[in-house]
Amino acid sequence: MKLMKTTEAVGQMLCHDITQIIPGITKDAVFRKGHIIREEDIPVLLSVGKEHVYIWEQNENMLHENDAAAILRDLCMGEHMKASQPKEGKIELTAACDGLFLADLPRLRAINGMGRMMIATRPSGFMVKAGDKLCGTRIIPLTIEKEAMEQARALAGDTSILRLLPIPARRVGIVTTGSEVFKGRIQDQFTPVLVQKLAEYGSTMAAHVTLDDNAQEITAAIQKMLSDGLDMVLCTGGMSVDPDDRTPLAIRNTGARVVSYGAPVLPGAMFLLSYMQDGRPVCGLPGCVMYAKRTVFDLVLPYLLAGEPVAAGQLAGLGNGGLCLNCPECHFPNCGFGKGV
């Protein structure tokens, strides 16, 4: 690009958008990239403070900001996403459906770490609605070397950096344990909470049983629900270290692979996550899920319903940001809970 005095630029092609800002009224381009400057445009350009403008000079080794943003868009864009048209060198992606939004953080950091280019996303690991903004991409200068964008491509690899996973309706089994509930000493207040949380994602409780603290019976109930074709089993109660609490043992006895018994999240430290050989989750939920506004279960549930495996390292990483502040008015997920980096 070449810098010229605005008053001498008639007939030249603009190589970037010219933005006009009127506070409270508008912030938009008065002239777009590629516009051929006319005599009558000069007063308008001067009125927005452009004593000089950059005009385009073809260079086969350089890319314009819009073309570079399109490359970043392609590196990010996965299924179920829509892209905007370039505006002031920026392209945004939005969700085409409801689903779990995921970003590959190591690759995202690697590209942003190159400098002179940026990809800004919403937090990974949370639900979005159709139409929600997912990310914005642009380069910092007006032009950039093609070689730099090739390096970004190499860092990104062959798969999109961002994913949006639709969540199908799941059929879930709930095993309520504890002698106090089984013998009618207290009312089961746990199951209604889970039914409501599942309904938020279009899933339903397809089977429910209440049992005493008997590991063999709990194991058999879990296996029966799985053999009946349910997508997931949630066990409530019996998750502490008290000698009468047998739920963790019962889950292990199903043959499930335990990913973690315990999570660095409050509320929710006694959470147990396991998977059967076919990938179906079996979870042990601590009592806090029944009464706390949001817990570790709210952070993990979208992954379980979307069929996205959760690893032990991922759970360990929840420690940074894993402390719920129990705000008087809960704004989750629009808060810091679960958003550590």
Side-chain angles (χ1 to χ4, degrees), residues 192-221:
V193 172
L194 296 183
V195 169
Q196 180 179 352
K197 288 184 181 293
L198 292 171
E200 293 177 7
Y201 300 95
S203 293
T204 57
M205 179 181 71
H208 177 233
V209 64
T210 301
L211 299 173
D212 203 351
D213 291 306
N214 183 298
Q216 290 78 18
E217 292 181 1
I218 298 170
T219 297

mmCIF file of all heavy atoms in Angstrom, residues 192-221:
data_model
loop_
_atom_site.group_PDB
_atom_site.id
_atom_site.type_symbol
_atom_site.label_atom_id
_atom_site.label_comp_id
_atom_site.label_asym_id
_atom_site.label_seq_id
_atom_site.Cartn_x
_atom_site.Cartn_y
_atom_site.Cartn_z
ATOM 1 N N PRO A 192 -35.889 -34.403 41.240
ATOM 2 C CA PRO A 192 -36.516 -33.294 40.518
ATOM 3 C C PRO A 192 -35.502 -32.268 39.991
ATOM 4 O O PRO A 192 -35.700 -31.688 38.911
ATOM 5 C CB PRO A 192 -37.446 -32.669 41.563
ATOM 6 C CG PRO A 192 -37.749 -33.772 42.508
ATOM 7 C CD PRO A 192 -36.494 -34.579 42.586
ATOM 8 N N VAL A 193 -34.417 -32.065 40.748
ATOM 9 C CA VAL A 193 -33.382 -31.127 40.284
ATOM 10 C C VAL A 193 -32.734 -31.648 39.013
ATOM 11 O O VAL A 193 -32.516 -30.899 38.036
ATOM 12 C CB VAL A 193 -32.323 -30.917 41.386
ATOM 13 C CG1 VAL A 193 -31.142 -30.109 40.843
ATOM 14 C CG2 VAL A 193 -32.938 -30.213 42.587
ATOM 15 N N LEU A 194 -32.416 -32.945 38.974
ATOM 16 C CA LEU A 194 -31.783 -33.522 37.794
ATOM 17 C C LEU A 194 -32.722 -33.512 36.595
ATOM 18 O O LEU A 194 -32.302 -33.251 35.461
ATOM 19 C CB LEU A 194 -31.322 -34.954 38.085
ATOM 20 C CG LEU A 194 -30.235 -35.095 39.143
ATOM 21 C CD1 LEU A 194 -29.827 -36.559 39.283
ATOM 22 C CD2 LEU A 194 -29.033 -34.238 38.809
ATOM 23 N N VAL A 195 -33.992 -33.802 36.836
ATOM 24 C CA VAL A 195 -34.969 -33.775 35.743
ATOM 25 C C VAL A 195 -35.016 -32.385 35.117
ATOM 26 O O VAL A 195 -35.061 -32.240 33.882
ATOM 27 C CB VAL A 195 -36.361 -34.191 36.260
ATOM 28 C CG1 VAL A 195 -37.434 -33.914 35.206
ATOM 29 C CG2 VAL A 195 -36.370 -35.666 36.636
ATOM 30 N N GLN A 196 -34.968 -31.354 35.951
ATOM 31 C CA GLN A 196 -34.995 -29.984 35.432
ATOM 32 C C GLN A 196 -33.723 -29.661 34.655
ATOM 33 O O GLN A 196 -33.784 -29.039 33.588
ATOM 34 C CB GLN A 196 -35.164 -28.996 36.583
ATOM 35 C CG GLN A 196 -35.212 -27.542 36.136
ATOM 36 C CD GLN A 196 -35.397 -26.589 37.299
ATOM 37 O OE1 GLN A 196 -35.634 -26.995 38.429
ATOM 38 N NE2 GLN A 196 -35.282 -25.299 37.013
ATOM 39 N N LYS A 197 -32.559 -30.066 35.174
ATOM 40 C CA LYS A 197 -31.305 -29.785 34.486
ATOM 41 C C LYS A 197 -31.247 -30.511 33.140
ATOM 42 O O LYS A 197 -30.765 -29.958 32.146
ATOM 43 C CB LYS A 197 -30.114 -30.176 35.360
ATOM 44 C CG LYS A 197 -29.900 -29.234 36.545
ATOM 45 C CD LYS A 197 -28.652 -29.610 37.323
ATOM 46 C CE LYS A 197 -28.449 -28.681 38.525
ATOM 47 N NZ LYS A 197 -28.143 -27.297 38.118
ATOM 48 N N LEU A 198 -31.723 -31.743 33.096
ATOM 49 C CA LEU A 198 -31.740 -32.479 31.829
ATOM 50 C C LEU A 198 -32.687 -31.820 30.834
ATOM 51 O O LEU A 198 -32.395 -31.751 29.625
ATOM 52 C CB LEU A 198 -32.162 -33.928 32.074
ATOM 53 C CG LEU A 198 -31.189 -34.801 32.861
ATOM 54 C CD1 LEU A 198 -31.834 -36.140 33.213
ATOM 55 C CD2 LEU A 198 -29.899 -35.029 32.071
ATOM 56 N N ALA A 199 -33.804 -31.323 31.325
ATOM 57 C CA ALA A 199 -34.794 -30.690 30.442
ATOM 58 C C ALA A 199 -34.235 -29.451 29.778
ATOM 59 O O ALA A 199 -34.650 -29.093 28.665
ATOM 60 C CB ALA A 199 -36.051 -30.356 31.232
ATOM 61 N N GLU A 200 -33.289 -28.783 30.407
ATOM 62 C CA GLU A 200 -32.668 -27.597 29.802
ATOM 63 C C GLU A 200 -31.994 -27.931 28.476
ATOM 64 O O GLU A 200 -31.808 -27.057 27.632
ATOM 65 C CB GLU A 200 -31.643 -26.989 30.766
ATOM 66 C CG GLU A 200 -32.246 -26.388 32.032
ATOM 67 C CD GLU A 200 -31.186 -25.864 32.979
ATOM 68 O OE1 GLU A 200 -29.987 -25.852 32.596
ATOM 69 O OE2 GLU A 200 -31.532 -25.473 34.109
ATOM 70 N N TYR A 201 -31.624 -29.192 28.306
ATOM 71 C CA TYR A 201 -30.941 -29.636 27.087
ATOM 72 C C TYR A 201 -31.821 -30.547 26.232
ATOM 73 O O TYR A 201 -31.324 -31.186 25.299
ATOM 74 C CB TYR A 201 -29.652 -30.367 27.452
ATOM 75 C CG TYR A 201 -28.672 -29.523 28.228
ATOM 76 C CD1 TYR A 201 -28.628 -29.567 29.618
ATOM 77 C CD2 TYR A 201 -27.793 -28.668 27.582
ATOM 78 C CE1 TYR A 201 -27.743 -28.788 30.339
ATOM 79 C CE2 TYR A 201 -26.890 -27.889 28.289
ATOM 80 C CZ TYR A 201 -26.876 -27.955 29.667
ATOM 81 O OH TYR A 201 -25.987 -27.178 30.381
ATOM 82 N N GLY A 202 -33.090 -30.636 26.558
ATOM 83 C CA GLY A 202 -33.992 -31.472 25.775
ATOM 84 C C GLY A 202 -33.915 -32.942 26.085
ATOM 85 O O GLY A 202 -34.438 -33.773 25.325
ATOM 86 N N SER A 203 -33.275 -33.316 27.191
ATOM 87 C CA SER A 203 -33.141 -34.723 27.578
ATOM 88 C C SER A 203 -34.136 -35.069 28.682
ATOM 89 O O SER A 203 -34.652 -34.180 29.367
ATOM 90 C CB SER A 203 -31.710 -35.025 28.030
ATOM 91 O OG SER A 203 -30.812 -34.911 26.936
ATOM 92 N N THR A 204 -34.376 -36.361 28.869
ATOM 93 C CA THR A 204 -35.411 -36.796 29.812
ATOM 94 C C THR A 204 -34.910 -37.926 30.703
ATOM 95 O O THR A 204 -33.988 -38.666 30.343
ATOM 96 C CB THR A 204 -36.661 -37.295 29.067
ATOM 97 O OG1 THR A 204 -36.279 -38.360 28.171
ATOM 98 C CG2 THR A 204 -37.307 -36.172 28.269
ATOM 99 N N MET A 205 -35.539 -38.061 31.865
ATOM 100 C CA MET A 205 -35.312 -39.205 32.725
ATOM 101 C C MET A 205 -36.186 -40.355 32.220
ATOM 102 O O MET A 205 -37.406 -40.281 32.272
ATOM 103 C CB MET A 205 -35.666 -38.866 34.174
ATOM 104 C CG MET A 205 -35.476 -40.032 35.138
ATOM 105 S SD MET A 205 -35.920 -39.624 36.844
ATOM 106 C CE MET A 205 -37.725 -39.516 36.692
ATOM 107 N N ALA A 206 -35.549 -41.405 31.730
ATOM 108 C CA ALA A 206 -36.289 -42.531 31.163
ATOM 109 C C ALA A 206 -36.463 -43.678 32.147
ATOM 110 O O ALA A 206 -37.269 -44.588 31.894
ATOM 111 C CB ALA A 206 -35.580 -43.034 29.906
ATOM 112 N N ALA A 207 -35.719 -43.670 33.243
ATOM 113 C CA ALA A 207 -35.852 -44.710 34.259
ATOM 114 C C ALA A 207 -35.364 -44.154 35.579
ATOM 115 O O ALA A 207 -34.439 -43.334 35.631
ATOM 116 C CB ALA A 207 -35.048 -45.958 33.876
ATOM 117 N N HIS A 208 -36.006 -44.613 36.673
ATOM 118 C CA HIS A 208 -35.629 -44.144 38.008
ATOM 119 C C HIS A 208 -35.873 -45.255 39.012
ATOM 120 O O HIS A 208 -36.899 -45.946 38.972
ATOM 121 C CB HIS A 208 -36.433 -42.902 38.399
ATOM 122 C CG HIS A 208 -36.139 -42.416 39.786
ATOM 123 N ND1 HIS A 208 -37.114 -42.201 40.732
ATOM 124 C CD2 HIS A 208 -34.954 -42.133 40.389
ATOM 125 C CE1 HIS A 208 -36.545 -41.776 41.857
ATOM 126 N NE2 HIS A 208 -35.232 -41.738 41.668
ATOM 127 N N VAL A 209 -34.920 -45.433 39.922
ATOM 128 C CA VAL A 209 -35.083 -46.414 40.992
ATOM 129 C C VAL A 209 -34.458 -45.847 42.256
ATOM 130 O O VAL A 209 -33.459 -45.116 42.198
ATOM 131 C CB VAL A 209 -34.426 -47.763 40.612
ATOM 132 C CG1 VAL A 209 -32.931 -47.615 40.447
ATOM 133 C CG2 VAL A 209 -34.753 -48.836 41.639
ATOM 134 N N THR A 210 -35.064 -46.142 43.402
ATOM 135 C CA THR A 210 -34.538 -45.730 44.704
ATOM 136 C C THR A 210 -34.094 -46.972 45.458
ATOM 137 O O THR A 210 -34.865 -47.933 45.611
ATOM 138 C CB THR A 210 -35.603 -44.972 45.511
ATOM 139 O OG1 THR A 210 -36.023 -43.826 44.774
ATOM 140 C CG2 THR A 210 -35.036 -44.521 46.850
ATOM 141 N N LEU A 211 -32.839 -46.955 45.953
ATOM 142 C CA LEU A 211 -32.260 -48.137 46.594
ATOM 143 C C LEU A 211 -31.616 -47.780 47.923
ATOM 144 O O LEU A 211 -31.238 -46.627 48.170
ATOM 145 C CB LEU A 211 -31.200 -48.764 45.682
ATOM 146 C CG LEU A 211 -31.678 -49.255 44.306
ATOM 147 C CD1 LEU A 211 -30.492 -49.682 43.472
ATOM 148 C CD2 LEU A 211 -32.676 -50.395 44.465
ATOM 149 N N ASP A 212 -31.484 -48.800 48.761
ATOM 150 C CA ASP A 212 -30.745 -48.669 50.012
ATOM 151 C C ASP A 212 -29.247 -48.622 49.684
ATOM 152 O O ASP A 212 -28.843 -48.766 48.530
ATOM 153 C CB ASP A 212 -31.075 -49.860 50.913
ATOM 154 C CG ASP A 212 -30.827 -49.557 52.387
ATOM 155 O OD1 ASP A 212 -30.241 -48.503 52.682
ATOM 156 O OD2 ASP A 212 -31.236 -50.384 53.229
ATOM 157 N N ASP A 213 -28.424 -48.423 50.718
ATOM 158 C CA ASP A 213 -26.971 -48.382 50.505
ATOM 159 C C ASP A 213 -26.426 -49.794 50.353
ATOM 160 O O ASP A 213 -25.674 -50.299 51.195
ATOM 161 C CB ASP A 213 -26.294 -47.668 51.680
ATOM 162 C CG ASP A 213 -26.618 -46.185 51.707
ATOM 163 O OD1 ASP A 213 -26.405 -45.521 50.687
ATOM 164 O OD2 ASP A 213 -27.104 -45.699 52.749
ATOM 165 N N ASN A 214 -26.786 -50.435 49.254
ATOM 166 C CA ASN A 214 -26.357 -51.798 48.979
ATOM 167 C C ASN A 214 -25.636 -51.798 47.636
ATOM 168 O O ASN A 214 -26.240 -51.585 46.581
ATOM 169 C CB ASN A 214 -27.570 -52.734 48.936
ATOM 170 C CG ASN A 214 -27.179 -54.184 48.721
ATOM 171 O OD1 ASN A 214 -26.601 -54.527 47.697
ATOM 172 N ND2 ASN A 214 -27.515 -55.041 49.691
ATOM 173 N N ALA A 215 -24.322 -52.013 47.675
ATOM 174 C CA ALA A 215 -23.505 -51.884 46.473
ATOM 175 C C ALA A 215 -23.957 -52.838 45.376
ATOM 176 O O ALA A 215 -23.991 -52.470 44.191
ATOM 177 C CB ALA A 215 -22.038 -52.116 46.809
ATOM 178 N N GLN A 216 -24.305 -54.087 45.738
ATOM 179 C CA GLN A 216 -24.694 -55.058 44.724
ATOM 180 C C GLN A 216 -25.975 -54.624 44.006
ATOM 181 O O GLN A 216 -26.085 -54.743 42.775
ATOM 182 C CB GLN A 216 -24.896 -56.436 45.364
ATOM 183 C CG GLN A 216 -23.619 -57.109 45.838
ATOM 184 C CD GLN A 216 -23.113 -56.545 47.155
ATOM 185 O OE1 GLN A 216 -23.862 -55.880 47.889
ATOM 186 N NE2 GLN A 216 -21.847 -56.793 47.466
ATOM 187 N N GLU A 217 -26.944 -54.122 44.768
ATOM 188 C CA GLU A 217 -28.197 -53.686 44.154
ATOM 189 C C GLU A 217 -28.003 -52.449 43.283
ATOM 190 O O GLU A 217 -28.623 -52.324 42.220
ATOM 191 C CB GLU A 217 -29.237 -53.418 45.247
ATOM 192 C CG GLU A 217 -29.686 -54.664 45.978
ATOM 193 C CD GLU A 217 -30.726 -54.362 47.034
ATOM 194 O OE1 GLU A 217 -31.111 -53.179 47.182
ATOM 195 O OE2 GLU A 217 -31.167 -55.309 47.733
ATOM 196 N N ILE A 218 -27.142 -51.541 43.727
ATOM 197 C CA ILE A 218 -26.868 -50.339 42.926
ATOM 198 C C ILE A 218 -26.189 -50.731 41.617
ATOM 199 O O ILE A 218 -26.553 -50.249 40.534
ATOM 200 C CB ILE A 218 -25.999 -49.343 43.718
ATOM 201 C CG1 ILE A 218 -26.734 -48.873 44.975
ATOM 202 C CG2 ILE A 218 -25.629 -48.144 42.846
ATOM 203 C CD1 ILE A 218 -25.866 -48.083 45.951
ATOM 204 N N THR A 219 -25.219 -51.628 41.683
ATOM 205 C CA THR A 219 -24.542 -52.105 40.476
ATOM 206 C C THR A 219 -25.542 -52.735 39.515
ATOM 207 O O THR A 219 -25.530 -52.454 38.304
ATOM 208 C CB THR A 219 -23.452 -53.124 40.841
ATOM 209 O OG1 THR A 219 -22.459 -52.481 41.637
ATOM 210 C CG2 THR A 219 -22.799 -53.696 39.582
ATOM 211 N N ALA A 220 -26.404 -53.568 40.037
ATOM 212 C CA ALA A 220 -27.388 -54.253 39.188
ATOM 213 C C ALA A 220 -28.337 -53.257 38.534
ATOM 214 O O ALA A 220 -28.711 -53.424 37.363
ATOM 215 C CB ALA A 220 -28.170 -55.267 40.022
ATOM 216 N N ALA A 221 -28.727 -52.220 39.266
ATOM 217 C CA ALA A 221 -29.642 -51.219 38.708
ATOM 218 C C ALA A 221 -28.984 -50.454 37.568
ATOM 219 O O ALA A 221 -29.610 -50.192 36.534
ATOM 220 C CB ALA A 221 -30.092 -50.265 39.809
#
